[in-house]
Amino acid sequence: MLIFLILFAIILAFFDCYFNSKRIRESLLKALLVNAVSIVFSTEILNVCFKINFVNILGFWILLICFLLVRLSKHTDKKEKALALFENIKKESTGASLFLIPIFIILSITLFLALISPVNNTDSLTYHLSRIMYWLQDEHLSHFATNNHRQVAYNIFSELVILHLYVLGKSDFAANLVQWFSFLGAIAACSLLIKQLGGSIKTQWFGALIVATIPMIVLQATSTQNDLVVSFFVVCGVYFSFKYVQEFTLENAIYFGLSLGLAELTKGTGYIFLFPFCLWLAYRVLLKKNWWKSSKIWTGLILIVLVSVAINLGYYARNWVVFHDPLGHASDRISLENHSPAALISNITRQIALHIGMHSPGNIWNNFWMNILLNLHELLGISISDPLTTFGEDSVFKIPRFSTTEDFSGNFLHFLLIIFASFFYFLKAKKQQTLSLFWFACVLGFIMFCALLRFQLFGSRLHSPFFLLISCFCALVIGERKAIIKPIVIVLSLATLPFLLLNFQKPIISFHGLTMLAKKFMSINEKSGALALYQKKSILDATYQDVLTHEGLDIQAADFLTMNEIILKKHFKSIGLELLEDDKDYLMLRVLIPEGIEVRQIAVKGILGKLESKTFLPEAIVSSRSTAQTIQFHQHIYQRIVKGKYLSVYKRQ
């Protein structure tokens, strides 16, 4: 398959970097960054000068591979350097089996799930992958008419990579791999950051194990969201910023600029979590004697800014044209509106609460903490579900129970590890200034997150950059204490199993089978709504339709799949979509657009309505907003021919 061209390019870039530096993990990071920025610039060039289609994207990857092969051909002693690679791997992994075996198992299972699982994450079906299909239909990245603002305004890097994978593979088969490779890269980047902070090789592997067992990170590694991608770039940014202030080389400045720019292009949280480390970089530059006289430092700082801005220039420009805002009002709905100290304390405590929820008899555990939070908010004089600090008009705060979903899972054990490591470190008489500043930068990033963004019930995944960075701190504090390392490794590794085997979106072990087993030992209410959600087949046995519709429980998804069949049988050549904001239009787009059917959203409200074509007159309309017998569009009458449980199909008369 042609998607292996991308993997081949990563391998070539890795060897090119390795032959220059002989640093395995750093070469992996650089290879991923180089390929990532190549995807961004190539797509932007195709968008402006040519068309985004199979021929042009294939041509780009052939050219990139040829360029990398030419670079590799110029290296001398390639055979000796390649053999030395295996010696270095053996040297760095000696005595690390306690950490490497569970890491390998986790990477293998998540890779397996990423490859066999259809895309069924709600955000992916409503905007992450939907926008890709519209781009491919139009053959450019320009904004389009849609009732889902996120399809055009939100950061685009992950989708650009999936776009290339989709075009070369002619399907979304490899879409989950973007986050999986970010998982692999994040493990390597965190271990290198620990090394940069003075950790031994054993501490580095211990830190890698901590990162590899973070529940939300494990779950995100098999999805098509972008929280793990931005987390990877954030850690790369911190690592290369540290290297830059240590050596002040232009190479490190460029890689920091790449990391910074790619984090910004991936998700808005990248700005927040990297900002404290940008302040750190500025502080370290100011400490440099006669820094203002150093052309090398000035050149490096200018390069960092230019590279990061250049990566985002196309994205900013398209948003500016439509919204007169480089971020496209992407933060409007999620920005905090109450900036009082009480609101900040409220947000911090509620964000932390996302990671402490557990199942317990009578929900005693969650109720205990909920009462504490309610009393605290009463003292603060603010509602625990204040709409000015909470995302969602009708959102009511609650502490979530233990979950294995990609949107709601908390990181309970890792949160306890953070608390333990922090207390242990700051109670010590002797502290390292760099490590102390690192901890403060991590915590400042989290506080800024709480100060700028509204609380979301599904916000634990947004904390992923913080958990990756603070895990490095935990490893450095605990890593040299042999007595407790092994128990921690065993507990974290075993605790990861539910998130590997019982991932709600793609369980390897059947929830239904576990329910039947549990019934032998306890009384279970089989009519429970929660139980019905978890009575799922194994991903190994489920059909494609089972996975997408959660075995028929998702009525919307089931209707989209049914309407696809009807539209294909009727041989319609153009379809108008009259949808609500959170409709899963990707389920229709992925089938109809490759068949040559033109699909566009109609009756679009708001500022994006001005982008709607005045001449597009579809043969049929699929609507989730109307159930009437007839509807009118552009002065034409459309008669309902099919009425589903969620969608209706109308034919032009």
Side-chain angles (χ1 to χ4, degrees):
M1 294 175 67
L2 291 174
I3 58 171
F4 285 107
L5 290 175
I6 300 178
L7 179 60
F8 187 43
I10 293 173
I11 293 171
L12 291 177
F14 167 78
F15 277 105
D16 183 37
C17 295
Y18 176 75
F19 287 162
N20 284 322
S21 67
K22 295 184 180 180
R23 297 170 181 167
I24 301 171
R25 288 170 288 169
E26 188 176 291
S27 297
L28 173 62
L29 301 191
K30 290 179 177 179
L32 292 173
L33 290 172
V34 166
N35 277 270
V37 77
S38 297
I39 287 174
V40 174
F41 285 130
S42 67
T43 312
E44 292 289 359
I45 290 170
L46 293 179
N47 177 59
V48 174
C49 303
F50 303 97
K51 291 182 178 181
I52 298 173
N53 56 33
F54 173 78
V55 172
N56 290 335
I57 287 178
L58 176 61
F60 158 70
W61 284 104
I62 291 173
L63 286 174
L64 179 61
I65 287 171
C66 289
F67 171 75
L68 291 171
L69 286 171
V70 170
R71 281 187 58 87
L72 277 174
S73 68
K74 295 181 179 180
H75 287 283
T76 58
D77 303 324
K78 290 185 285 290
K79 185 176 180 180
E80 291 77 7
K81 290 176 180 177
L83 291 173
L85 169 65
F86 296 102
E87 289 297 321
N88 286 341
I89 293 174
K90 184 178 178 181
K91 180 181 177 181
E92 291 199 358
S93 59
T94 301
S97 57
L98 175 66
F99 314 109
L100 288 176
I101 291 174
I103 291 173
F104 177 77
I105 291 172
I106 292 167
L107 284 171
S108 299
I109 293 176
T110 51
L111 176 60
F112 173 72
L113 283 173
L115 289 171
I116 70 166
S117 302
V119 176
N120 68 341
N121 178 275
T122 298
D123 281 352
S124 300
L125 299 178
T126 56
Y127 79 95
H128 284 302
L129 271 68
S130 300
R131 68 202 308 193
I132 294 171
M133 299 312 299
Y134 288 118
W135 291 340
L136 288 176
Q137 177 176 253
D138 297 336
E139 297 187 317
H140 56 69
L141 301 177
S142 297
H143 287 358
F144 49 86
T146 172
N147 279 304
N148 191 334
H149 174 262
R150 296 171 296 174
Q151 289 182 353
V152 294
Y154 276 23
N155 312 61
I156 63 171
F157 172 75
S158 293
E159 290 85 345
L160 292 182
V161 183
I162 297 173
L163 169 69
H164 281 242
L165 290 168
Y166 187 97
V167 169
L168 294 177
K170 297 190 180 298
S171 76
D172 57 15
F173 159 76
N176 294 324
L177 291 181
V178 180
Q179 290 248 94
W180 186 86
F181 271 98
S182 298
F183 184 35
L184 175 65
I187 292 171
C190 285
S191 69
L192 280 175
L193 185 52
I194 293 167
K195 180 181 180 181
Q196 193 68 22
L197 290 167
S200 65
I201 186 65
K202 186 175 181 180
T203 304
Q204 294 166 41
W205 285 122
F206 178 52
L209 184 280
I210 295 175
V211 167
T213 55
I214 299 173
M216 181 54 79
I217 299 297
V218 171
L219 293 168
Q220 285 291 315
T222 63
S223 83
T224 45
Q225 291 175 298
N226 54 17
D227 301 278
L228 188 45
V229 181
V230 71
S231 301
F232 164 62
F233 290 135
V234 166
V235 179
C236 284
V238 175
Y239 171 68
F240 283 110
S241 71
F242 280 21
K243 288 209 69 179
Y244 175 68
V245 297
Q246 183 183 53
E247 304 169 4
F248 289 105
T249 65
L250 295 184
E251 181 184 9
N252 287 324
I254 290 171
Y255 279 110
F256 175 54
L258 291 178
S259 304
L260 182 62
L262 290 167
E264 293 166 356
L265 191 63
T266 304
K267 200 176 186 76
T269 51
Y271 297 94
I272 298 172
F273 288 107
L274 275 172
F275 181 74
F277 293 96
C278 291
L279 292 180
W280 186 339
L281 184 147
Y283 167 71
R284 290 296 301 271
V285 168
L286 290 173
L287 289 181
K288 186 77 173 176
K289 188 176 181 180
N290 296 328
W291 64 271
W292 61 90
K293 296 180 181 179
S294 172
S295 60
K296 192 175 183 180
I297 290 178
W298 278 109
T299 304
L301 294 175
I302 292 170
L303 268 176
I304 290 169
V305 175
L306 289 179
V307 169
S308 62
V309 171
I311 289 171
N312 289 269
L313 203 56
Y315 165 68
Y316 290 156
R318 287 186 292 275
N319 274 336
W320 184 264
V321 168
V322 175
F323 302 108
H324 301 294
D325 176 356
L327 300 180
H329 304 306
S331 62
D332 283 1
R333 298 189 312 166
I334 59 175
S335 295
L336 205 65
E337 292 187 39
N338 181 351
H339 296 283
S340 67
L344 176 59
I345 295 170
S346 169
N347 244 13
I348 291 173
T349 55
R350 290 184 298 164
Q351 297 287 1
I352 290 173
L354 293 175
H355 300 285
I356 64 174
M358 295 291 289
H359 281 286
S360 60
N363 205 27
I364 296 173
W365 174 265
N366 283 11
N367 289 339
F368 170 77
W369 290 107
M370 188 68 180
N371 288 331
I372 290 176
L373 287 176
L374 286 170
N375 291 332
L376 172 63
H377 281 75
E378 188 176 343
L379 287 173
L380 293 171
I382 186 172
S383 169
I384 200 168
S385 301
D386 183 356
L388 297 179
T389 63
T390 307
F391 178 80
E393 294 179 3
D394 303 317
S395 183
V396 177
F397 173 78
K398 60 181 179 180
I399 298 177
R401 295 186 179 186
F402 175 82
S403 171
T404 61
T405 67
E406 296 164 358
D407 292 315
F408 295 101
S409 174
N411 303 319
F412 180 73
L413 290 179
H414 288 75
F415 175 72
L416 293 182
L417 191 66
I418 293 165
I419 298 299
F420 170 76
S422 300
F423 271 103
F424 185 84
Y425 177 74
F426 285 103
L427 287 174
K428 290 195 313 179
K430 188 177 180 180
K431 303 176 185 66
Q432 299 175 29
Q433 183 187 33
T434 301
L435 190 55
S436 299
L437 287 173
F438 178 78
W439 183 90
F440 280 113
C442 293
V443 172
L444 177 59
F446 182 75
I447 293 172
M448 287 179 59
F449 175 89
C450 297
L452 294 172
L453 303 181
R454 295 174 188 244
F455 170 81
Q456 303 177 41
L457 285 172
F458 42 83
S460 60
R461 59 188 172 85
L462 305 179
H463 305 162
S464 296
F466 169 74
F467 273 89
L468 287 183
L469 292 171
I470 205 71
S471 292
C472 299
F473 169 82
C474 294
L476 286 159
V477 173
I478 302 170
E480 300 302 329
R481 288 152 185 82
K482 298 180 181 179
I484 60 173
I485 285 182
K486 191 171 183 179
I488 290 175
V489 169
I490 293 172
V491 170
L492 292 181
S493 300
L494 292 176
T496 308
L497 291 177
F499 304 96
L500 288 170
L501 305 178
L502 295 168
N503 181 326
F504 178 77
Q505 274 83 3
K506 44 188 84 74
I508 293 176
I509 296 176
S510 165
F511 280 109
H512 180 70
L514 287 180
T515 303
M516 294 301 101
L517 179 63
K519 281 179 65 178
K520 297 179 179 180
F521 303 98
M522 65 183 76
S523 175
I524 291 180
N525 177 15
E526 293 188 67
K527 295 182 180 180
S528 164
L531 183 61
L533 287 173
Y534 278 89
Q535 288 184 338
K536 296 167 67 69
K537 296 177 183 176
S538 164
I539 190 71
L540 305 176
D541 300 323
T543 65
Y544 182 79
Q545 186 159 339
D546 285 338
V547 176
L548 290 178
T549 66
H550 297 282
E551 298 174 36
L553 293 172
D554 189 334
I555 296 172
Q556 182 193 146
D559 249 21
F560 269 113
L561 297 180
T562 301
M563 299 309 169
N564 285 339
E565 297 176 8
I566 294 170
I567 290 168
L568 291 174
K569 286 180 181 177
K570 296 287 185 180
H571 301 291
F572 294 127
K573 296 300 181 185
S574 57
I575 300 294
L577 300 180
E578 186 185 52
L579 302 178
L580 299 171
E581 181 180 7
D582 291 324
D583 285 347
K584 300 175 180 179
D585 54 345
Y586 175 70
L587 295 175
M588 185 165 279
L589 300 173
R590 69 178 298 277
V591 174
L592 302 187
I593 289 179
E595 291 293 327
I597 300 172
E598 185 177 8
V599 185
R600 300 197 180 277
Q601 293 204 30
I602 62 171
V604 174
K605 302 175 182 178
I607 192 171
L608 292 171
K610 68 181 182 181
L611 301 178
E612 190 174 340
S613 171
K614 304 302 181 185
T615 59
F616 178 63
L617 191 64
E619 293 181 14
I621 293 175
V622 176
S623 177
S624 63
R625 287 154 51 181
S626 177
T627 56
Q629 287 291 338
T630 61
I631 59 175
Q632 186 173 338
F633 179 68
H634 285 347
Q635 299 180 341
H636 286 261
I637 301 298
Y638 287 76
Q639 181 74 34
R640 192 180 71 199
I641 58 174
V642 179
K643 184 178 185 298
K645 293 181 178 180
Y646 186 80
L647 298 170
S648 296
V649 178
Y650 295 83
K651 181 180 179 182
R652 191 177 72 214
Q653 299 301 294

